[in-house]
Amino acid sequence: MNEIILFDYWRSSASYRVRIALNLKGVTYRSVPTSLVEGQHKSPEYVARNPQGFVPMLSIDGHDLTQSLAIIDYLDANYPDPAMVSSNPADRSKTLAQALLIAADIHPVNNLRVLRYLKDQMGQDQTAIDNWYRHWIVEGFTALEAMAPADGLFGGDLPNLADVCLVPQMANARRFETSLEAFPKMVRIDAALSEMPAFKAAHPDVVNPEA
């Protein structure tokens, strides 16, 4: 069996999602740290394999897979236990909507390249950038809190794709000192998930190559 390799940046939310999914499914892999700060994701060798020049990229079964949710979809098809989405069409759609609220609405406007553009091209100071970051988290979290279950995880008894997306975004919210007082259900879910070994092992502080 060919080695499974994750091109990974420790602080990347998208990479964090994939690490969690790999751990939940018990998939053994080797991490190749790919620094966004040092621009390693823009090297000619890397871009030749991943034209967007983003992380994560998962080398598996002869494929170079990109985009975190697409990678997790591949893993779900090939390592189905535990499933990240339900086979029931309505439940599957609800989970995807919750996950995409984070992965498509909150995260893209707050990632490093956008923050750098705000600073370098738009001339915004750090206070304005931090306010920008928190604004989009609060807007998205307000909707997600309304979708969150009163008990259990987004996935019920077991984590699903929405849970996998939630934990990295909660970590980002705390890193930017976002008030979470208005989101008690998500705080509860995040606390429960963060005690699970698969989530603990994927935490940025654990995988940081410089730690």
Side-chain angles (χ1 to χ4, degrees):
M1 182 178 293
N2 293 330
E3 183 179 29
I4 298 171
I5 301 172
L6 178 65
F7 294 84
D8 182 23
Y9 180 57
W10 66 279
R11 189 171 267 175
S12 159
S13 299
S15 296
Y16 194 174
R17 295 173 201 142
V18 173
R19 294 195 302 265
I20 293 168
L22 287 164
N23 293 344
L24 284 170
K25 292 175 178 294
V27 178
T28 300
Y29 68 96
R30 177 167 65 89
S31 175
V32 175
T34 307
S35 175
L36 302 184
V37 175
E38 296 176 10
Q40 293 173 346
H41 60 305
K42 294 299 183 182
S43 71
E45 296 81 9
Y46 188 81
V47 172
R49 299 175 64 176
N50 179 353
Q52 271 193 302
F54 290 170
V55 292
M57 177 172 71
L58 187 69
S59 178
I60 184 172
D61 301 332
H63 306 293
D64 287 332
L65 304 180
T66 62
Q67 290 289 345
S68 62
L69 267 60
I71 292 171
I72 294 171
D73 182 69
Y74 180 92
L75 292 173
D76 230 21
N78 289 278
Y79 304 88
D81 186 27
M84 295 290 97
V85 293
S86 173
S87 59
N88 177 279
D91 291 341
R92 176 188 175 92
S93 180
K94 290 175 184 177
T95 298
L96 286 172
Q98 292 159 354
L100 287 167
L101 191 156
I102 294 171
D105 293 339
I106 300 174
H107 176 232
V109 295
N110 278 348
N111 66 24
L112 183 59
R113 65 191 182 120
V114 171
L115 302 184
R116 281 178 167 172
Y117 189 86
L118 288 170
K119 179 179 179 181
D120 297 338
Q121 304 299 321
M122 304 297 292
Q124 299 300 307
D125 63 19
Q126 193 60 49
T127 298
I129 292 170
D130 291 350
N131 287 337
W132 165 281
Y133 200 105
R134 287 188 287 265
H135 170 83
W136 298 114
I137 288 178
V138 170
E139 182 177 281
F141 274 13
T142 299
L144 193 58
E145 178 74 9
M147 300 177 187
D151 300 296
L153 310 173
F154 276 101
D157 294 333
L158 296 174
N160 68 6
L161 184 62
D163 295 300
V164 167
C165 290
L166 175 67
V167 168
Q169 195 59 59
M170 290 289 280
N172 287 342
R174 290 189 174 98
R175 185 158 64 92
F176 279 80
E177 300 180 344
T178 308
S179 173
L180 299 174
E181 186 176 353
F183 315 115
K185 290 187 288 185
M186 294 199 297
V187 169
R188 173 185 55 76
I189 293 169
D190 175 67
L193 293 168
S194 296
E195 290 301 312
M196 297 181 180
F199 287 79
K200 283 185 175 181
H203 193 281
D205 291 345
V206 174
V207 303
N208 181 1
E210 299 176 2

